[in-house]
Amino acid sequence: MSNTATAATVRETDGHLSALDRRIIEFIQKEIQDKSVVLTRETRREDVAIDSIDIVNVVFAIEEEFDIEVNLTPDAKFDTVGELIDTLTGFIPEEKRPS
Amino acid sequence: MKGPWLDVTGRGIVSSLGQQVETFARAIFEGRSAIGALDIEGFSLRFPNGAPIRDFDPSAHFDDRTRSMLDRFAQFATVAARAAWAESGLTADDVDPTRIAVVIGTANAGIDILDDGFRRIFRTDSRIPPLTIPQTMGSAPASRIAREIGARGPVFGVTSACASAAHAMLVGASMIRAGLVDVAVVGGTDSCFSEGYLRAWDALRVVSGDTCRPFSIGRKGLIVGEGAGMLVLERAGRAAARGGRPVARYLGGGMSSDAGDLVAPDPVGMAGAIRNALADAGLAADAVDYINAHGTGTAANDRAEAAAIRAVFGDRDEQVALSSTKSMVGHAMGASGAIEAIATIAALEHGIVPPTLNYLGPDPEIDLDPTPDVARERAIDVALSNSFAFGGLNVALAFGRAED
């Protein structure tokens, strides 16, 4: 019971973010101009003006963090932060993802 | 005068003796020195001293994003250009943006970030940060400045080692005279204290083991400096028409090439640039009151420059004042011509010849008085600023007092 209650609390405060989601959001957060915006998976790209420079910087941060190669070009298409997270997650091997 | 002269309506500086034109001018008139012990770690150099800018705080000038896009040389340039533009008083209503040029000289381009990139590759075999290319390109300062002031005309960088800023100023001025643009933001910038760059100078063995003593007996070489200087130039009369106040006149400029040695200067080439500047400005040699020398403090430059000055001006050293501000701020490489143009304009404006510091006495091969140690008051109507680069690339620029 207590486990279920804890999980519900996390869902309420963090939506449906995994530990990896939260880490990637931290990287994106560093790049966007308005530092007061709280990013969620639903945040729309145009609302926070994520540009190609932001993407290359996030890709670089992920490569450094997980010691991997991310073959994503700066013109990658996505509409929401969640879509970008999912694309980036696809480059990160399961065994390197935070639990 | 032959003319047409141009109005200098704005100046901006980032130097080891201040980041305001007035602060810098007061410092050079007082004969203050920015040369001091270098604080280096992890490597050694034969020379202990330099003149880095110790109090430049990028976060005071740029938000995080902008700062991350700009190497130190581009940050210097942008800060100096903002000040020059502000002093000019130009606004978007005053000039067609397609008739504004930005021409910025640099010898080193983004060498701090290049140095860091090479360190990552060769020392730690790690990744190169993604913005390395746009950060390190030599035209990055010109692009940034154009963006900030909305310049949509000819915008580019130029390079000619230690004459880069002087070539940039002359090219911008020439575009105004040719009718291509009405306004030009011109100058130079360099950042000079990365490990790789300092070690490269060390290897060349022309950096002084003590200090910079231009034209002096016992001089041992140059002292590395850094910074940026920017001017706003406008077609003559334009500033007055919009209610602006010129701070000086750009009278003309001359260029020449030695077509010779990569490092040994040639007095014939240097004298050629000075003569070309006088001819371009329509001035006789006896119109010149002050020469801000290239005056690096190396044995070869100062001997050759003195010979060139003697060749052009004859025995007029009683009438022509001479000094080298590198004795105070070191050699800011691709920025030096612009920093020294600002020193030259300050001399015109205030009627003060800044001194040459660290003078130990006359070199028998240099029969000139470089205004040792203490500034001198004198009326200065016309002044030259010399820039003579490695590779035999020479520029002399002539400035005159703004009309009262």
Side-chain angles (χ1 to χ4, degrees):
Chain A
M1 286 295 285
S2 61
N3 281 349
T4 311
T6 306
T9 307
V10 170
R11 269 199 299 277
E12 279 168 21
T13 52
D14 275 352
H16 44 285
L17 298 176
S18 69
L20 180 59
D21 290 349
R22 284 195 293 270
R23 190 72 184 121
I24 295 174
I25 280 180
E26 284 173 19
F27 292 137
I28 301 169
Q29 194 94 44
K30 275 187 196 159
E31 300 301 324
I32 61 173
Q33 299 286 304
D34 184 350
K35 302 298 181 196
S36 66
V37 171
V38 177
L39 293 175
T40 68
R41 290 186 61 91
E42 286 70 39
T43 304
R44 298 197 59 79
R45 175 182 189 167
E46 66 247 34
D47 292 342
V48 287
I50 298 171
D51 66 14
S52 60
I53 296 292
D54 299 330
I55 294 172
V56 293
N57 281 331
V58 169
V59 165
F60 180 70
I62 288 171
E63 289 184 330
E64 290 276 275
E65 173 101 348
F66 299 103
D67 193 22
I68 58 170
E69 289 295 318
V70 176
N71 290 314
L72 185 69
T73 57
D75 60 354
K77 300 283 183 285
F78 62 94
D79 292 323
T80 65
V81 166
E83 287 172 39
L84 178 59
I85 290 172
D86 292 341
T87 301
L88 292 166
T89 300
F91 290 101
I92 304 171
E94 295 268 359
E95 66 274 16
K96 291 195 173 184
R97 296 178 191 175
S99 53
Chain B
M1 285 174 207
K2 182 178 163 194
W5 71 82
L6 306 177
D7 286 328
V8 180
T9 55
R11 297 158 295 175
I13 193 165
V14 173
S15 84
S16 50
L17 283 178
Q19 294 164 37
Q20 309 277 342
V21 168
E22 279 308 311
T23 314
F24 169 77
R26 198 163 53 242
I28 61 171
F29 294 151
E30 289 172 0
R32 283 175 28 213
S33 174
I35 297 169
L38 287 173
D39 183 20
I40 57 171
E41 283 180 21
F43 63 103
S44 60
L45 299 167
R46 290 183 194 89
F47 56 88
N49 298 321
I53 299 174
R54 299 173 195 270
D55 57 354
F56 181 78
D57 176 12
S59 63
H61 303 287
F62 303 100
D63 60 37
D64 290 350
R65 166 62 174 262
T66 307
R67 190 178 60 205
S68 76
M69 298 287 290
L70 302 172
D71 194 339
R72 185 171 162 90
F73 88 120
Q75 294 174 0
F76 287 167
T78 305
V79 171
R82 286 175 183 169
W85 193 250
E87 186 180 41
S88 78
L90 281 162
T91 68
D93 297 333
D94 292 323
V95 57
D96 173 354
T98 65
R99 305 223 5 121
I100 306 173
V102 179
V103 187
I104 308 300
T106 178
N108 304 337
I111 200 161
D112 289 358
I113 284 171
L114 265 186
D115 211 40
D116 182 57
F118 288 133
R119 188 178 295 108
R120 284 165 175 266
I121 295 171
F122 298 119
R123 283 203 185 146
T124 60
D125 191 24
S126 54
R127 292 179 178 80
I128 303 300
L131 299 182
T132 299
I133 291 290
Q135 285 167 325
T136 58
M137 55 195 188
S139 52
S143 291
R144 179 69 208 179
I145 293 163
R147 175 178 168 162
E148 294 210 358
I149 66 174
R152 293 180 176 274
V155 174
F156 51 90
V158 300
T159 191
S160 56
C162 307
S164 299
H167 273 111
M169 291 186 281
L170 200 157
V171 167
S174 299
M175 286 197 289
I176 297 175
R177 281 181 170 183
L180 293 174
V181 296
D182 296 320
V183 171
V185 177
V186 293
T189 185
D190 262 321
S191 158
C192 300
F193 289 88
S194 64
E195 177 181 345
Y197 190 65
L198 289 172
R199 289 175 68 171
W201 274 109
D202 197 31
L204 193 59
R205 296 172 189 255
V206 296
V207 179
S208 171
D210 57 4
T211 190
C212 179
R213 307 180 188 282
F215 304 108
S216 171
I217 191 79
R219 65 187 182 280
K220 293 178 177 170
L222 61 84
I223 286 287
V224 179
E226 64 178 352
M230 297 290 154
L231 299 180
V232 177
L233 304 177
E234 296 185 56
R235 194 161 36 76
R238 213 183 162 282
R242 65 176 174 81
R245 188 186 74 87
V247 295
R249 285 176 173 178
Y250 171 93
L251 301 177
M255 301 181 275
S256 74
S257 157
D258 295 348
D261 196 271
L262 192 60
V263 293
D266 179 355
V268 174
M270 292 173 166
I274 297 171
R275 286 196 182 97
N276 290 343
L278 295 174
D280 185 53
L283 293 168
D286 62 11
V288 178
D289 301 303
Y290 169 57
I291 301 169
N292 187 292
H294 188 57
T296 58
T298 63
N301 175 82
D302 296 1
R303 187 171 56 233
E305 185 169 9
I309 290 168
R310 178 67 69 210
V312 177
F313 295 93
D315 294 325
R316 290 192 56 253
D317 57 308
E318 294 298 315
Q319 287 103 56
V320 185
L322 174 77
S323 65
S324 167
T325 36
K326 287 190 180 76
S327 63
M328 294 178 264
V329 293
H331 194 336
M333 308 301 162
S336 61
I339 290 172
E340 289 157 22
I342 289 168
T344 304
I345 291 169
L348 285 161
E349 199 179 18
H350 296 274
I352 300 175
V353 177
T356 301
L357 299 190
N358 309 314
Y359 192 70
L360 298 175
D363 175 338
E365 291 187 277
I366 296 176
D367 183 21
L368 294 172
D369 170 7
T371 319
D373 301 326
V374 181
R376 292 177 195 162
E377 287 188 25
R378 65 168 290 166
I380 304 172
D381 291 321
V382 173
L384 293 182
S385 176
N386 288 343
S387 295
F388 302 136
F390 273 169
L393 310 181
N394 309 302
V395 182
L397 302 176
F399 293 94
R401 259 185 332 114
E403 292 219 320
D404 294 326

